[in-house]
Amino acid sequence: MPAEAIFMAGKIGFVFFLVLNLAGVLGWVERKQSALMQDRIGANRAPIFGITAIGLFHPLADAIKAFTKEDFIPARAHKLFHTLAPFIALVPALTAFAVIPFGDTLTIGGETTQLVVADLDVGVLFVFAIMSLATFGVVLAGWSSYNNYSMLGGLRASAQMLSYEIVMGLTLVGVFMVYGSLQLTEIARAQGEYFVFGGVNTWIPKWGILTQPLAFFLFLTAAVAESKRLPFDVAEAESELVAGYFTEYSGMKFLMFWMAEFVEIVVISALVATLFLGGWQIPWLHPDGLHVPFTAIVVGLPSLVVSMMGVGAFLMKVFVLIWLQMTIRWTLPRFRYDQIMRLGWKMILPLALVNVVLTGFVVLLLNR
Amino acid sequence: MQQLFYVFGSLAVASGLLMVLQRNPITAAMNLVVTMFSLAALFVLLSAHFIAVIQLLVYAGAIMVLFIFVIMLLNLQDDELRPRGRNFIHLVSVAVVLFAMAQLWQLLSRTPAIPLAPVDEAYGTTGEMGMLLFSDYLFPFEIVSILILAAIVGAVVLAKRRLD
C-alpha cells in the first residue's frame, strides 16, 4: 500500500518538523515574552547578514553554541547514566505526539487518512505511560551527577512528578465518562456535537471546557506542575539548587533537557486542546462546509480546505495554550515544596474525585 | 511479529539477569525498568494493548520511580554493597532454579505447537477489558480493591506511627 506509506511518512515528518521547530522557537519566545513582561528589550541580536528579525535567529545561534561547547562529565559521575539521562528525558516527550490528532481526515486523490500518526484505542493512557518514563531522565540526571544539588533536584522532581501523574490521570476520568472513550480522535470528534436541551439545538459545541470545566482547570494546573515549570519548579530552583538536576550538564546535553521542557509544554498544550478545546474542531464547521447557526443553510467548502482549516485551528489553540503557560511562568512566584505537595494531594486530588462522582450522576441522569 | 518477539523476549531475559547480577542498586533498578518495558512490548505483540500501557504506566513508570526514589534516599555506600560471602542457602537456591528451568525446558519441548487463532478486532481494547472486569470478574476485582485498600490503610498507619 504505497498511498498509506506516503501518508504515514508525511504525518511523521510533519509532527517532527512541527514539534522540534516549535521547541526551538519557544526558547526565543520565552526570552522575548519575559522581556516584554518585565519591560526589557530581550534577545535582539544574532544577525545573519545584518538582518536580526527581532532576534528570531537566537535559537540557531544557541544550537551552534551548544554543539561546539565542551561536553563535560564530572569525575565521579556515573558516565553511562549521565549520558543516557538527557535522551531518556527528551525521547518520551517526542513519542507522546504519536497519538495526538492534529486534524480531521484528509482526502487527497481519493485516499483518506486520519491526521494522527497512531490512532490508538488506549490514546490518553499511552501519553501518560510514555510521559511517566521521562521521569527517569530527570531522576537519573540527579543521581548520576555526583552532586548534592543535582541529587536534591532529582529527589524533588521524582516525588513531584509521581504525585502529579496520579492527579493528572484522575482529573481526566470525568472527560472519559462524558465522551465514552480514551481514543483522542474520538474524544475530539465527539466535541463537534452540539448541546441539545429539550429537543432544541443550542448550536453551542460540546467542548470539554464546557462539559468538564472543573477538570479543565485541575488538569491544566496538574500538567503545569508535571512539566516542572514555575510556580512548580522546585526541582531546578535556581536560588537554592543552582539548576537542580541538570546542574552538571553542559553543551548539547544541557540543551536536550531544555528542549525536553519545551516539548513537554507543546505536548501539554496539544493534549489540553484535544481534550478540552475541541481539537481540530471549529464551531459550526463540518466536513461538508460551514453550517449557519439556527438555520439549515450550509455554505459548501471543498474537503481539502476544511481539513487545512482544522489543522490551522488546532495549531491556533496550541499556540494560545503555550502563551497561557508562558504567562503563568513569568507571573507567579515559586511555591514552597510542602505547598506543592499539599496542593496536589489535599486539594486537586479530592476535587478530581468529586468531579468524577458528579459527572457520574449527571451522565446517569442524562442517559435515562 | 515473531522476530519482534525474539528481540523483546531476549531483551527482557537479558535485563532481568543483569538486574540480579548488578551490584549497584540504581543500575539494577534501571535494568528492571528495561525488563518491564520489554514485557509491555510483548503484551502489544499479543494484541493486549490496554495491559501493555498499564504495565508501562504502573510498573515501569510509577512503581520503579518509587523504587529509585527510595534507593536514592538510602544512599548506600560502596562498602555496604560488597558481597557477604556465599553460604549454603545461595547454593541450594541456584540449584533449585536450575532444576526448575530444566524441567520447564523438558515440558516445553514435549508440548506440540498450537496454531494461533486470529483474535477479534475488539480483543484487548479498553472497552472489552472494562466489560470483563465489571461482569465476569467482578468478584475478584472487588476483592483485590479491598486488599489494596487494606494495604493503603496499613501504609498510612505505619508512616503515622513514625511521625508521632
Side-chain angles (χ1 to χ4, degrees):
Chain A
M1 276 165 259
E4 220 165 88
I6 292 167
F7 271 136
M8 192 46 97
K11 285 188 284 192
I12 294 174
F14 177 77
V15 167
F16 260 100
F17 179 81
L18 180 78
V19 175
L20 287 174
N21 277 303
L22 210 53
V25 172
L26 279 184
W28 171 80
V29 169
E30 174 142 271
R31 285 154 81 178
K32 209 68 185 172
Q33 186 172 356
S34 68
L36 278 173
M37 289 176 75
Q38 294 165 353
D39 206 10
R40 295 183 283 113
I41 293 172
N44 64 346
R45 302 297 167 91
I48 293 180
F49 303 120
I51 303 161
T52 53
I54 52 170
L56 203 56
F57 299 129
H58 268 274
L60 221 59
D62 284 341
I64 293 167
K65 186 179 86 170
F67 270 117
T68 49
K69 280 226 165 168
E70 184 193 356
D71 179 29
F72 184 77
I73 299 178
R76 296 191 64 184
H78 193 294
K79 286 207 177 52
L80 176 67
F81 286 155
H82 193 268
T83 312
L84 217 54
F87 293 88
I88 303 179
L90 179 60
V91 171
L94 284 174
T95 314
F97 260 95
V99 294
I100 295 177
F102 51 90
D104 202 354
T105 51
L106 176 72
T107 307
I108 293 176
E111 300 275 351
T112 304
T113 182
Q114 176 75 43
L115 286 177
V116 54
V117 174
D119 197 7
L120 293 186
D121 168 67
V122 285
V124 188
L125 284 182
F126 177 82
V127 178
F128 284 152
I130 289 296
M131 294 292 267
S132 75
L133 294 181
T135 316
F136 288 116
V138 175
V139 175
L140 278 183
W143 177 80
S144 65
S145 295
Y146 206 79
N147 176 323
N148 285 338
Y149 294 127
S150 302
M151 181 81 163
L152 276 173
L155 276 175
R156 287 180 176 186
S158 59
Q160 182 182 333
M161 287 170 89
L162 201 63
S163 310
Y164 276 92
E165 239 162 57
I166 296 165
V167 173
M168 266 168 90
L170 261 181
T171 51
L172 287 188
V173 173
V175 179
F176 304 150
M177 286 160 87
V178 170
Y179 300 113
S181 180
L182 293 176
Q183 204 167 347
L184 283 162
T185 46
E186 272 190 34
I187 294 177
R189 194 157 286 136
Q191 293 179 59
E193 291 167 18
Y194 302 108
F195 284 106
V196 178
F197 290 117
V200 181
N201 193 348
T202 57
W203 290 90
I204 299 170
K206 272 187 181 169
W207 282 11
I209 192 169
L210 297 175
T211 55
Q212 288 283 312
L214 185 60
F216 171 75
F217 289 107
L218 295 180
F219 181 75
L220 197 62
T221 314
V224 172
E226 179 77 7
S227 71
K228 305 182 296 298
R229 283 165 62 79
L230 265 169
F232 299 97
D233 75 333
V234 286
E236 47 178 283
E238 289 88 353
S239 47
E240 32 190 301
L241 296 183
V242 189
Y245 56 89
F246 56 86
T247 304
E248 295 287 3
Y249 280 88
S250 53
M252 201 53 209
K253 286 186 204 153
F254 173 81
L255 207 63
M256 280 172 81
F257 275 116
W258 194 74
M259 266 184 73
E261 187 181 314
F262 286 121
V263 173
E264 244 171 73
I265 295 173
V266 184
V267 172
I268 290 164
S269 305
L271 208 54
V272 172
T274 310
L275 291 168
F276 294 102
L277 300 179
W280 65 81
Q281 309 269 4
I282 302 173
W284 312 314
L285 186 73
H286 290 254
D288 58 341
L290 189 70
H291 290 222
V292 180
F294 302 110
T295 56
I297 304 167
V298 177
V299 183
L301 285 169
S303 82
L304 192 65
V305 174
V306 175
S307 297
M308 286 300 128
M309 281 170 83
V311 175
F314 175 73
L315 290 180
M316 219 48 211
K317 289 167 188 173
V318 169
F319 292 155
V320 168
L321 285 163
I322 290 172
W323 167 82
L324 183 67
Q325 286 185 64
M326 294 264 175
T327 311
I328 293 171
R329 161 81 170 80
W330 291 101
T331 308
L332 294 175
R334 183 181 304 134
F335 285 141
R336 260 192 349 253
Y337 194 71
D338 59 315
Q339 289 172 327
I340 291 179
M341 283 298 154
R342 190 151 20 100
L343 179 74
W345 289 103
K346 291 190 176 172
M347 295 174 191
I348 301 183
L349 191 73
L351 277 176
L353 287 172
V354 168
N355 187 45
V356 170
V357 174
L358 280 181
T359 310
F361 274 120
V362 173
V363 167
L364 210 64
L365 277 177
L366 289 181
N367 286 354
R368 254 156 41 118
Chain B
M1 281 302 227
Q2 204 160 9
Q3 286 89 337
L4 280 177
F5 168 79
Y6 284 119
V7 169
F8 287 110
S10 41
L11 195 62
V13 173
S15 53
L17 273 177
L18 273 175
M19 183 216 118
V20 181
L21 298 175
Q22 282 291 328
R23 195 160 295 152
N24 185 330
I26 297 266
T27 318
M30 283 316 288
N31 273 305
L32 191 54
V33 174
V34 177
T35 313
M36 302 287 189
F37 185 84
S38 322
L39 289 182
L42 291 180
F43 278 127
V44 171
L45 293 179
L46 293 170
S47 313
H49 297 121
F50 182 73
I51 309 255
V53 167
I54 292 298
Q55 167 91 12
L56 267 189
L57 190 63
V58 176
Y59 288 99
I63 290 183
M64 287 319 293
V65 172
L66 263 187
F67 265 45
I68 289 188
F69 185 73
V70 171
I71 293 171
M72 278 166 75
L73 272 183
L74 289 176
N75 196 17
L76 295 167
Q77 298 306 312
D78 281 347
D79 51 317
E80 288 172 77
L81 296 169
R82 233 166 259 144
R84 301 257 162 76
R86 292 171 183 83
N87 58 25
F88 181 65
I89 303 219
H90 286 116
L91 280 176
V92 170
S93 35
V94 169
V96 166
V97 168
L98 285 178
F99 179 70
M101 279 173 73
Q103 290 284 310
L104 201 63
W105 176 261
Q106 262 197 339
L107 199 68
L108 284 177
S109 56
R110 269 190 282 136
T111 317
I114 302 164
L116 292 173
V119 289
D120 194 47
E121 183 78 359
Y123 180 84
T125 59
T126 320
E128 192 81 349
M129 280 289 303
M131 288 303 257
L132 279 176
L133 272 185
F134 288 104
S135 57
D136 293 4
Y137 297 96
L138 183 63
F139 186 65
F141 180 73
E142 295 295 337
I143 293 283
V144 169
S145 319
I146 292 173
L147 188 69
I148 292 173
L149 184 66
I152 294 171
V153 173
V156 170
V157 168
L158 282 176
K160 202 78 178 141
R161 193 182 296 155
R162 285 268 295 281
L163 284 179
D164 288 341

